[in-house]
Amino acid sequence: MERKCEIGLLGLGVMGSSLAKNMIRNGVKTALYSVSERERNLFSAQKGQYHMFPELSKFIMGLEKPRRVFMMITAGEPVDIILDQLLSLMEAGDIIMDGGNSYYKDTERRCRICRERNIHYMGIGVSGGEKGALKGPCIMAGGSSEAWNEVKDILETIAAKQDGMPCCGYIASGGAGHYVKMVHNGIEYALLELIAEAYQYLRVVKNTDIEEICRIFKKWNEGSLNSYLMEISIRVLEKKEKDGTFLIDHILDVAEQKGTGKWTVTESVERGVYTPSIYEAQAARIFSGKKEEREKGKRKLVFHSLAFPEVTPDELGKALLMACVIAYSQGFELISKTSADEKWGIDLSSLVAIWKNGCIIRSRLLNEIEKVEYSENRALILSEIFEQYGDLEGSLRKMTVSAVAHGLPVPGFTSSLNYYDYYRSERMPMNFIQALRDCFGSHTYMREDKEGCFHTDWEQ
Ligand code: 6PG
């Protein structure tokens, strides 16, 4: 009898089919299934050792035990629909993995449903886009630790490698894998926004042409700013239309989002973690949709420029580097807080090691960040490693003031500076807030010199 398949890949869209090709290339005996006949037919042109099944039940029957099913389907309702069908076909001890960008609370709910049937459920963050899925993604696994031992070998085989180590690991129980993937995306939003603002500063304030911006970005990419996002920024800027014009100049200045950025912001608010760069990055995308109003505003709203010097490309690069460190700092703070709240015990240094290749936010900076000795809830910005970046503060401040003086909104940079300055704020005007709250609402206030809650009759 023919040997059954080691793993079943369910969903053959862009990401699913790339992951499937990756598994097959790596010699993993893979069963394939998609609800879409078109996707099944499209994939069937592929060469290699795999088995395509026309029905879900046959797909499940084609797997060796414990059965391992890796879903790569659209997050949300489709996952619940398929999960329901899988549960009627699978047995105790089997393993279901969800590799999409699912909301971590949905993953926790699905873990509970599966546990009741003694089926293992894992929420798996997969980063790297289509190419990453094909060549080696970054894999952040969460959920059943027992199941992890059963799927580890396959996932490590298909993952990206850094210094010979797979960029793949078990994060923690429940929805932890999807949680860190969500924050990864939050950081991704902030980094994208910062790079775009640097581009805009060069174009608008310094009137730099695209060829020159490319040269500047290339120089940055050779140094501490080296990253995947900088690499693709150069590729994007260089792309030309058939008529020789730059494609970037024809792309609408409106950006959309699928949800992970917004979830990160909501989580930050609920957990009480200050992540202004991530908030501003997703807010900028929302505001970009007001295209008509922006055009009207340009004509109607007065603007008086202030005399403030422009920054040099070198200073701009330093400001960008500092703001990038600050963006990572915010993401790590959020993960650290949630890990403590949920008793996940996430090892941030191991997470950084996983992020060093395959994922969208991979960068040279992570080599430095990896050296940080994390303690619970301590911000990266307060660790010794940050001392080497402290010198960049002047450039960040100068760039921000320069942009403001020239009327260019750079919320990514401004919020990074706010984050930095908040951490320097030995005193905040919260004494005043406390007093006002007590004055209008008798909310009471705390004092510096005595323990307890106090109320004052402010009209006496
Ligand atoms: C990744 C990406 C990937 C996707 C984002 C885009 O790590 O491979 O983050 O998951 O590109 O979800 O999100 P938006 O559409 O919200 O920008």
Side-chain angles (χ1 to χ4, degrees):
M1 203 179 88
E2 203 195 336
R3 192 165 71 93
K4 293 199 173 191
C5 293
E6 293 167 77
I7 193 165
L9 201 293
L10 198 162
L12 293 171
V14 175
M15 288 295 283
S17 56
S18 297
L19 268 183
K21 288 175 200 165
N22 183 342
M23 287 176 183
I24 295 161
R25 190 185 68 242
N26 279 294
V28 180
K29 193 153 193 282
T30 313
L32 300 176
Y33 175 72
S34 166
V35 282
S36 153
E37 194 183 342
R38 198 188 63 88
E39 280 181 6
R40 291 200 303 267
N41 290 341
L42 217 63
F43 195 93
S44 293
Q46 285 297 319
K47 294 207 168 54
Q49 290 281 320
Y50 63 89
H51 205 118
M52 177 73 73
F53 290 90
E55 281 170 39
L56 187 62
S57 57
K58 291 192 174 131
F59 165 77
I60 297 296
M61 298 289 285
L63 298 173
E64 62 184 32
K65 290 183 185 176
R67 300 184 181 99
R68 306 173 184 93
V69 171
F70 196 104
M71 294 187 286
M72 204 63 206
I73 57 178
T74 314
E77 222 192 332
V79 177
D80 286 315
I81 294 170
I82 293 286
L83 180 59
D84 216 36
Q85 296 173 19
L86 285 174
L87 287 176
S88 66
L89 297 166
M90 294 175 84
E91 291 170 4
D94 287 347
I95 300 161
I96 301 174
M97 294 164 271
D98 169 17
N101 273 331
S102 289
Y103 183 46
Y104 85 102
K105 284 188 182 166
D106 286 340
T107 303
E108 307 225 302
R109 173 174 53 76
R110 291 166 189 148
C111 282
R112 284 193 296 274
I113 294 172
C114 289
R115 208 176 300 127
E116 282 166 17
R117 315 263 191 118
N118 288 323
I119 287 177
H120 301 288
Y121 194 81
M122 300 195 77
I124 304 201
V126 178
S127 178
E130 183 185 354
K131 292 238 168 64
L134 182 67
K135 294 184 177 160
C138 161
I139 299 178
M140 299 150 255
S144 165
S145 56
E146 262 178 76
W148 168 244
N149 293 323
E150 298 285 345
V151 298
K152 187 173 177 264
D153 289 350
I154 297 177
L155 298 185
E156 285 185 348
T157 302
I158 62 164
K161 308 287 178 304
Q162 179 67 30
D163 307 322
M165 296 301 288
C167 294
C168 166
Y170 179 74
I171 307 296
S173 61
H178 278 145
Y179 195 91
V180 298
K181 174 59 183 17
M182 174 193 78
V183 180
H184 162 285
N185 282 23
I187 298 171
E188 172 188 304
Y189 272 55
L191 300 180
L192 287 171
E193 174 67 21
L194 288 166
I195 295 173
E197 287 178 14
Y199 151 85
Q200 190 78 335
Y201 182 88
L202 289 168
R203 286 222 89 178
V204 176
V205 176
K206 291 185 72 72
N207 210 9
T208 315
D209 64 30
I210 302 218
E211 273 115 342
E212 182 56 21
I213 297 178
C214 268
R215 274 191 285 277
I216 293 168
F217 277 22
K218 278 182 183 162
K219 191 161 170 244
W220 289 351
N221 199 37
E222 282 160 14
S224 309
L225 276 166
N226 176 273
S227 66
Y228 170 69
L229 287 176
M230 193 50 75
E231 190 186 307
I232 62 167
S233 296
I234 296 161
R235 201 178 309 154
V236 160
L237 286 175
E238 281 176 337
K239 193 82 185 160
K240 284 191 175 162
E241 290 275 82
K242 283 204 180 74
D243 64 4
T245 56
F246 286 100
L247 173 58
I248 193 74
D249 285 339
H250 302 286
I251 298 180
L252 194 67
D253 62 338
V254 173
E256 295 183 337
Q257 52 183 314
K258 292 204 197 84
T260 45
K262 220 180 280 176
W263 294 340
T264 313
V265 170
T266 309
E267 266 296 306
S268 306
V269 173
E270 278 177 3
R271 306 265 177 195
V273 180
Y274 183 56
T275 60
S277 310
I278 301 173
Y279 168 79
E280 291 294 355
Q282 65 85 39
R285 294 198 199 179
I286 295 172
F287 197 83
S288 72
K290 289 179 172 282
K291 180 84 177 152
E292 254 178 59
E293 288 94 328
R294 288 193 277 125
E295 281 161 3
K296 213 175 275 170
K298 172 79 183 160
R299 291 192 299 274
K300 283 185 96 110
L301 299 174
V302 290
F303 162 61
H304 297 104
S305 67
L306 300 173
F308 193 86
E310 296 163 10
V311 297
T312 62
D314 190 42
E315 287 170 318
L316 182 58
K318 287 180 177 168
L320 180 59
L321 182 60
M322 175 95 161
C324 289
V325 180
I326 288 173
Y328 283 109
S329 181
Q330 293 169 36
F332 289 128
E333 242 184 292
L334 180 56
I335 293 174
S336 171
K337 173 70 167 52
T338 307
S339 173
D341 288 354
E342 303 293 327
K343 303 196 173 37
W344 279 338
I346 294 177
D347 176 3
L348 287 176
S349 304
S350 309
L351 177 62
V352 176
I354 292 174
W355 280 354
K356 277 169 67 179
N357 205 353
C359 73
I360 304 292
I361 62 170
R362 61 189 189 259
S363 65
R364 191 169 290 177
L365 254 180
L366 286 171
N367 294 337
E368 296 305 313
I369 294 176
E370 197 186 12
K371 296 176 194 154
V372 174
E373 275 188 35
Y374 289 97
S375 57
E376 221 163 72
N377 289 335
R378 192 181 62 169
L380 183 63
I381 190 177
L382 295 180
S383 66
E384 292 70 45
I385 211 86
F386 190 77
E387 282 164 21
Q388 64 180 302
Y389 299 106
D391 290 347
L392 310 177
E393 175 266 348
S395 298
L396 176 60
R397 198 170 297 282
K398 195 169 160 197
M399 184 270 167
T400 306
V401 179
S402 168
V404 171
H406 287 89
L408 181 75
V410 285
F413 282 95
T414 320
S415 61
S416 305
L417 188 59
N418 283 341
Y419 179 90
Y420 182 86
D421 282 338
Y422 262 154
Y423 267 105
R424 292 179 43 259
S425 297
E426 204 182 343
R427 287 199 71 83
M428 289 175 77
M430 295 304 131
N431 49 341
F432 210 78
I433 303 279
Q434 284 212 78
L436 289 173
R437 287 179 71 237
D438 189 52
C439 180
F440 68 67
S442 302
H443 293 294
T444 72
Y445 55 88
M446 296 169 288
R447 294 181 60 103
E448 285 187 340
D449 50 355
K450 292 181 216 165
E451 288 281 323
C453 295
F454 299 86
H455 170 63
T456 294
D457 184 350
W458 298 91
E459 293 190 0
Q460 282 290 310

